[in-house]
CSV table of all heavy atoms in Angstrom, one decimal:
chain,number,residue,atom,x,y,z
B,280,LEU,N,-18.3,-9.3,-6.9
B,280,LEU,CA,-19.6,-9.0,-6.4
B,280,LEU,C,-20.6,-9.6,-7.3
B,280,LEU,O,-21.7,-10.1,-6.9
B,280,LEU,CB,-19.8,-7.5,-6.3
B,280,LEU,CG,-19.3,-6.8,-5.0
B,280,LEU,CD1,-19.2,-5.3,-5.2
B,280,LEU,CD2,-20.1,-7.2,-3.8
B,281,GLU,N,-20.3,-9.7,-8.6
B,281,GLU,CA,-21.2,-10.3,-9.6
B,281,GLU,C,-21.3,-11.8,-9.3
B,281,GLU,O,-22.4,-12.3,-9.4
B,281,GLU,CB,-20.6,-10.0,-11.0
B,281,GLU,CG,-21.7,-9.9,-12.1
B,281,GLU,CD,-21.1,-9.3,-13.3
B,281,GLU,OE1,-20.6,-8.2,-13.3
B,281,GLU,OE2,-21.1,-10.0,-14.4
B,282,GLN,N,-20.2,-12.4,-9.0
B,282,GLN,CA,-20.2,-13.8,-8.7
B,282,GLN,C,-21.1,-14.2,-7.5
B,282,GLN,O,-21.7,-15.3,-7.5
B,282,GLN,CB,-18.8,-14.3,-8.3
B,282,GLN,CG,-18.0,-14.9,-9.5
B,282,GLN,CD,-16.7,-15.4,-9.1
B,282,GLN,OE1,-15.8,-14.6,-8.9
B,282,GLN,NE2,-16.6,-16.7,-8.9
B,283,VAL,N,-21.3,-13.3,-6.6
B,283,VAL,CA,-22.2,-13.6,-5.4
B,283,VAL,C,-23.5,-12.9,-5.6
B,283,VAL,O,-24.4,-12.9,-4.7
B,283,VAL,CB,-21.6,-13.1,-4.1
B,283,VAL,CG1,-20.3,-13.8,-3.8
B,283,VAL,CG2,-21.3,-11.6,-4.1
B,284,GLY,N,-23.8,-12.5,-6.8
B,284,GLY,CA,-25.1,-11.9,-7.2
B,284,GLY,C,-25.4,-10.6,-6.6
B,284,GLY,O,-26.6,-10.3,-6.3
B,285,LEU,N,-24.4,-9.7,-6.4
B,285,LEU,CA,-24.7,-8.4,-5.8
B,285,LEU,C,-24.2,-7.3,-6.7
B,285,LEU,O,-23.8,-6.2,-6.3
B,285,LEU,CB,-24.0,-8.3,-4.5
B,285,LEU,CG,-24.6,-9.0,-3.3
B,285,LEU,CD1,-23.8,-8.8,-2.0
B,285,LEU,CD2,-26.0,-8.5,-3.0
B,286,ALA,N,-24.2,-7.6,-8.0
B,286,ALA,CA,-23.7,-6.6,-9.0
B,286,ALA,C,-24.5,-5.2,-8.8
B,286,ALA,O,-23.9,-4.2,-9.1
B,286,ALA,CB,-23.9,-7.1,-10.4
B,287,ASP,N,-25.7,-5.3,-8.4
B,287,ASP,CA,-26.5,-4.1,-8.2
B,287,ASP,C,-26.4,-3.4,-6.9
B,287,ASP,O,-27.2,-2.5,-6.6
B,287,ASP,CB,-28.0,-4.4,-8.6
B,287,ASP,CG,-28.5,-5.5,-7.7
B,287,ASP,OD1,-27.7,-6.3,-7.1
B,287,ASP,OD2,-29.8,-5.6,-7.5
B,288,ARG,N,-25.5,-3.9,-6.0
B,288,ARG,CA,-25.5,-3.4,-4.7
B,288,ARG,C,-24.1,-2.8,-4.4
B,288,ARG,O,-23.7,-2.6,-3.2
B,288,ARG,CB,-25.7,-4.5,-3.6
B,288,ARG,CG,-27.2,-5.0,-3.6
B,288,ARG,CD,-28.1,-4.0,-2.9
B,288,ARG,NE,-29.4,-4.6,-2.6
B,288,ARG,CZ,-30.4,-4.6,-3.5
B,288,ARG,NH1,-30.2,-4.1,-4.8
B,288,ARG,NH2,-31.5,-5.2,-3.2
B,289,THR,N,-23.3,-2.5,-5.4
B,289,THR,CA,-21.9,-2.1,-5.2
B,289,THR,C,-21.8,-0.8,-4.4
B,289,THR,O,-20.8,-0.6,-3.6
B,289,THR,CB,-21.2,-1.9,-6.5
B,289,THR,OG1,-21.9,-0.9,-7.3
B,289,THR,CG2,-21.0,-3.2,-7.3
B,290,GLY,N,-22.7,0.1,-4.5
B,290,GLY,CA,-22.6,1.4,-3.9
B,290,GLY,C,-23.2,1.4,-2.5
B,290,GLY,O,-23.3,2.5,-1.8
B,291,HIS,N,-23.8,0.3,-2.0
B,291,HIS,CA,-24.5,0.3,-0.7
B,291,HIS,C,-23.5,0.1,0.4
B,291,HIS,O,-22.5,-0.6,0.3
B,291,HIS,CB,-25.5,-0.8,-0.7
B,291,HIS,CG,-26.7,-0.6,-1.5
B,291,HIS,ND1,-26.6,-0.4,-2.9
B,291,HIS,CD2,-28.0,-0.5,-1.2
B,291,HIS,CE1,-27.8,-0.2,-3.4
B,291,HIS,NE2,-28.7,-0.3,-2.4
B,292,ARG,N,-23.8,0.7,1.5
B,292,ARG,CA,-23.0,0.5,2.7
B,292,ARG,C,-23.6,-0.7,3.5
B,292,ARG,O,-24.8,-1.0,3.3
B,292,ARG,CB,-23.0,1.8,3.6
B,292,ARG,CG,-22.1,2.8,3.0
B,292,ARG,CD,-22.1,4.1,3.8
B,292,ARG,NE,-21.8,5.2,2.9
B,292,ARG,CZ,-20.6,5.5,2.5
B,292,ARG,NH1,-19.6,4.8,2.9
B,292,ARG,NH2,-20.3,6.5,1.7
B,293,PRO,N,-22.8,-1.3,4.4
B,293,PRO,CA,-23.2,-2.5,5.1
B,293,PRO,C,-24.6,-2.3,5.8
B,293,PRO,O,-25.4,-3.2,5.8
B,293,PRO,CB,-22.1,-2.7,6.1
B,293,PRO,CG,-20.9,-2.2,5.4
B,293,PRO,CD,-21.3,-1.0,4.6
B,294,ASN,N,-24.8,-1.1,6.4
B,294,ASN,CA,-26.1,-0.9,7.1
B,294,ASN,C,-27.3,-0.8,6.2
B,294,ASN,O,-28.4,-0.7,6.6
B,294,ASN,CB,-26.0,0.3,8.0
B,294,ASN,CG,-25.7,1.6,7.3
B,294,ASN,OD1,-25.7,1.7,6.1
B,294,ASN,ND2,-25.5,2.7,8.0
B,295,GLN,N,-27.0,-0.8,4.9
B,295,GLN,CA,-28.2,-0.7,3.9
B,295,GLN,C,-28.4,-2.1,3.3
B,295,GLN,O,-29.2,-2.3,2.4
B,295,GLN,CB,-27.8,0.2,2.7
B,295,GLN,CG,-27.7,1.7,3.2
B,295,GLN,CD,-27.1,2.5,2.1
B,295,GLN,OE1,-26.0,2.2,1.6
B,295,GLN,NE2,-27.7,3.7,1.9
B,296,LEU,N,-27.7,-3.1,3.9
B,296,LEU,CA,-27.8,-4.5,3.3
B,296,LEU,C,-28.3,-5.4,4.4
B,296,LEU,O,-28.1,-5.2,5.6
B,296,LEU,CB,-26.4,-5.0,2.9
B,296,LEU,CG,-25.7,-4.2,1.8
B,296,LEU,CD1,-24.3,-4.6,1.6
B,296,LEU,CD2,-26.4,-4.3,0.5
B,297,SER,N,-29.0,-6.5,3.9
B,297,SER,CA,-29.5,-7.5,4.8
B,297,SER,C,-28.3,-8.4,5.3
B,297,SER,O,-27.2,-8.3,4.7
B,297,SER,CB,-30.5,-8.4,4.1
B,297,SER,OG,-29.9,-9.2,3.2
B,298,GLY,N,-28.5,-9.2,6.3
B,298,GLY,CA,-27.5,-10.1,6.8
B,298,GLY,C,-26.9,-11.0,5.7
B,298,GLY,O,-25.7,-11.1,5.6
B,299,GLY,N,-27.8,-11.6,4.9
B,299,GLY,CA,-27.3,-12.5,3.8
B,299,GLY,C,-26.5,-11.7,2.8
B,299,GLY,O,-25.5,-12.2,2.3
B,300,GLN,N,-27.0,-10.5,2.5
B,300,GLN,CA,-26.2,-9.7,1.6
B,300,GLN,C,-24.9,-9.3,2.1
B,300,GLN,O,-23.9,-9.3,1.4
B,300,GLN,CB,-27.0,-8.4,1.2
B,300,GLN,CG,-28.2,-8.7,0.3
B,300,GLN,CD,-29.1,-7.5,0.1
B,300,GLN,OE1,-29.2,-6.7,1.0
B,300,GLN,NE2,-29.8,-7.5,-1.0
B,301,LYS,N,-24.8,-9.0,3.4
B,301,LYS,CA,-23.5,-8.6,4.0
B,301,LYS,C,-22.6,-9.8,3.9
B,301,LYS,O,-21.4,-9.6,3.5
B,301,LYS,CB,-23.7,-8.3,5.5
B,301,LYS,CG,-24.2,-6.9,5.7
B,301,LYS,CD,-24.2,-6.6,7.2
B,301,LYS,CE,-25.5,-5.8,7.6
B,301,LYS,NZ,-25.7,-5.6,9.0
B,302,GLN,N,-23.1,-11.0,4.1
B,302,GLN,CA,-22.2,-12.1,4.1
B,302,GLN,C,-21.7,-12.4,2.7
B,302,GLN,O,-20.6,-12.8,2.4
B,302,GLN,CB,-22.9,-13.4,4.7
B,302,GLN,CG,-22.0,-14.5,5.1
B,302,GLN,CD,-20.9,-14.1,6.1
B,302,GLN,OE1,-20.1,-13.2,5.8
B,302,GLN,NE2,-20.9,-14.8,7.2
B,303,ARG,N,-22.6,-12.1,1.7
B,303,ARG,CA,-22.2,-12.3,0.3
B,303,ARG,C,-21.1,-11.2,-0.1
B,303,ARG,O,-20.2,-11.6,-0.8
B,303,ARG,CB,-23.4,-12.1,-0.6
B,303,ARG,CG,-24.2,-13.5,-0.7
B,303,ARG,CD,-25.6,-13.3,-0.9
B,303,ARG,NE,-26.0,-12.8,-2.2
B,303,ARG,CZ,-27.3,-12.5,-2.5
B,303,ARG,NH1,-28.2,-12.5,-1.6
B,303,ARG,NH2,-27.6,-12.1,-3.7
B,304,VAL,N,-21.2,-10.0,0.5
B,304,VAL,CA,-20.2,-9.0,0.3
B,304,VAL,C,-18.9,-9.6,0.8
B,304,VAL,O,-17.8,-9.5,0.2
B,304,VAL,CB,-20.5,-7.7,0.9
B,304,VAL,CG1,-19.3,-6.7,0.8
B,304,VAL,CG2,-21.7,-7.0,0.2
B,305,ALA,N,-19.0,-10.1,2.0
B,305,ALA,CA,-17.8,-10.7,2.7
B,305,ALA,C,-17.2,-11.8,1.9
B,305,ALA,O,-15.9,-11.9,1.7
B,305,ALA,CB,-18.1,-11.2,4.1
B,306,ILE,N,-18.0,-12.6,1.3
B,306,ILE,CA,-17.5,-13.7,0.4
B,306,ILE,C,-16.8,-13.1,-0.8
B,306,ILE,O,-15.8,-13.5,-1.2
B,306,ILE,CB,-18.7,-14.7,0.0
B,306,ILE,CG1,-19.1,-15.5,1.2
B,306,ILE,CG2,-18.2,-15.6,-1.1
B,306,ILE,CD1,-20.4,-16.3,1.0
B,307,ALA,N,-17.5,-12.1,-1.4
B,307,ALA,CA,-16.9,-11.4,-2.5
B,307,ALA,C,-15.5,-10.9,-2.2
B,307,ALA,O,-14.6,-10.9,-3.0
B,307,ALA,CB,-17.8,-10.3,-3.0
B,308,ARG,N,-15.4,-10.3,-1.0
B,308,ARG,CA,-14.1,-9.7,-0.5
B,308,ARG,C,-13.1,-10.8,-0.5
B,308,ARG,O,-11.9,-10.6,-0.9
B,308,ARG,CB,-14.3,-9.1,0.9
B,308,ARG,CG,-13.0,-8.5,1.4
B,308,ARG,CD,-13.1,-7.8,2.7
B,308,ARG,NE,-13.6,-8.7,3.7
B,308,ARG,CZ,-14.0,-8.4,4.9
B,308,ARG,NH1,-14.1,-7.1,5.3
B,308,ARG,NH2,-14.3,-9.3,5.8
B,309,SER,N,-13.5,-12.0,0.0
B,309,SER,CA,-12.5,-13.1,0.2
B,309,SER,C,-12.1,-13.7,-1.2
B,309,SER,O,-11.1,-14.2,-1.4
B,309,SER,CB,-13.0,-14.2,1.1
B,309,SER,OG,-14.1,-14.8,0.5
B,310,LEU,N,-13.1,-13.5,-2.2
B,310,LEU,CA,-12.9,-14.1,-3.5
B,310,LEU,C,-12.0,-13.2,-4.4
B,310,LEU,O,-11.3,-13.7,-5.3
B,310,LEU,CB,-14.2,-14.1,-4.2
B,310,LEU,CG,-15.1,-15.3,-4.1
B,310,LEU,CD1,-16.3,-15.1,-5.0
B,310,LEU,CD2,-14.3,-16.6,-4.6
B,311,ALA,N,-12.1,-11.9,-4.1
B,311,ALA,CA,-11.5,-10.9,-5.1
B,311,ALA,C,-10.1,-11.2,-5.4
B,311,ALA,O,-9.6,-10.9,-6.5
B,311,ALA,CB,-11.7,-9.5,-4.5
B,312,THR,N,-9.3,-11.7,-4.4
B,312,THR,CA,-7.9,-11.9,-4.6
B,312,THR,C,-7.6,-13.2,-5.2
B,312,THR,O,-6.4,-13.6,-5.4
B,312,THR,CB,-7.1,-11.8,-3.2
B,312,THR,OG1,-7.8,-12.7,-2.3
B,312,THR,CG2,-7.2,-10.4,-2.6
B,313,ARG,N,-8.7,-13.9,-5.6
B,313,ARG,CA,-8.5,-15.3,-6.2
B,313,ARG,C,-7.6,-16.1,-5.3
B,313,ARG,O,-6.5,-16.6,-5.7
B,313,ARG,CB,-7.8,-15.1,-7.6
B,313,ARG,CG,-8.4,-14.1,-8.5
B,313,ARG,CD,-9.2,-14.8,-9.6
B,313,ARG,NE,-10.3,-13.9,-10.1
B,313,ARG,CZ,-10.2,-13.2,-11.2
B,313,ARG,NH1,-9.1,-13.2,-11.9
B,313,ARG,NH2,-11.2,-12.4,-11.7
B,314,PRO,N,-8.1,-16.4,-4.1
B,314,PRO,CA,-7.2,-17.2,-3.2
B,314,PRO,C,-7.3,-18.7,-3.5
B,314,PRO,O,-8.2,-19.1,-4.1
B,314,PRO,CB,-7.9,-16.9,-1.8
B,314,PRO,CG,-9.3,-16.7,-2.2
B,314,PRO,CD,-9.4,-16.1,-3.5
B,315,ALA,N,-6.3,-19.4,-3.0
B,315,ALA,CA,-6.3,-20.8,-3.1
B,315,ALA,C,-7.3,-21.4,-2.1
B,315,ALA,O,-8.0,-22.4,-2.4
B,315,ALA,CB,-4.9,-21.4,-2.8
B,316,ILE,N,-7.4,-20.8,-1.0
B,316,ILE,CA,-8.3,-21.4,0.1
B,316,ILE,C,-9.3,-20.3,0.6
B,316,ILE,O,-8.9,-19.2,0.9
B,316,ILE,CB,-7.5,-21.9,1.3
B,316,ILE,CG1,-6.5,-23.0,0.8
B,316,ILE,CG2,-8.4,-22.4,2.4
B,316,ILE,CD1,-5.5,-23.3,1.9
B,317,LEU,N,-10.5,-20.7,0.7
B,317,LEU,CA,-11.5,-19.8,1.3
B,317,LEU,C,-11.8,-20.4,2.7
B,317,LEU,O,-12.3,-21.5,2.8
B,317,LEU,CB,-12.8,-19.8,0.4
B,317,LEU,CG,-13.7,-18.5,0.6
B,317,LEU,CD1,-14.4,-18.3,-0.7
B,317,LEU,CD2,-14.6,-18.6,1.8
B,318,LEU,N,-11.6,-19.6,3.7
B,318,LEU,CA,-11.8,-20.0,5.1
B,318,LEU,C,-13.0,-19.4,5.7
B,318,LEU,O,-13.0,-18.2,5.8
B,318,LEU,CB,-10.5,-19.6,5.9
B,318,LEU,CG,-10.0,-20.5,7.0
B,318,LEU,CD1,-9.8,-21.9,6.5
B,318,LEU,CD2,-8.6,-19.9,7.4
Side-chain angles (χ1 to χ4, degrees):
Chain B
L280 279 167
E281 211 164 301
Q282 263 183 283
V283 298
L285 284 179
D287 56 338
R288 293 281 192 277
T289 54
H291 288 59
R292 285 177 205 284
N294 60 8
Q295 296 166 311
L296 298 170
S297 72
Q300 287 172 330
K301 280 186 220 175
Q302 197 59 302
R303 276 146 72 189
V304 173
I306 291 172
R308 180 178 62 190
S309 70
L310 271 182
T312 53
R313 313 253 156 97
I316 301 168
L317 203 157
L318 215 49

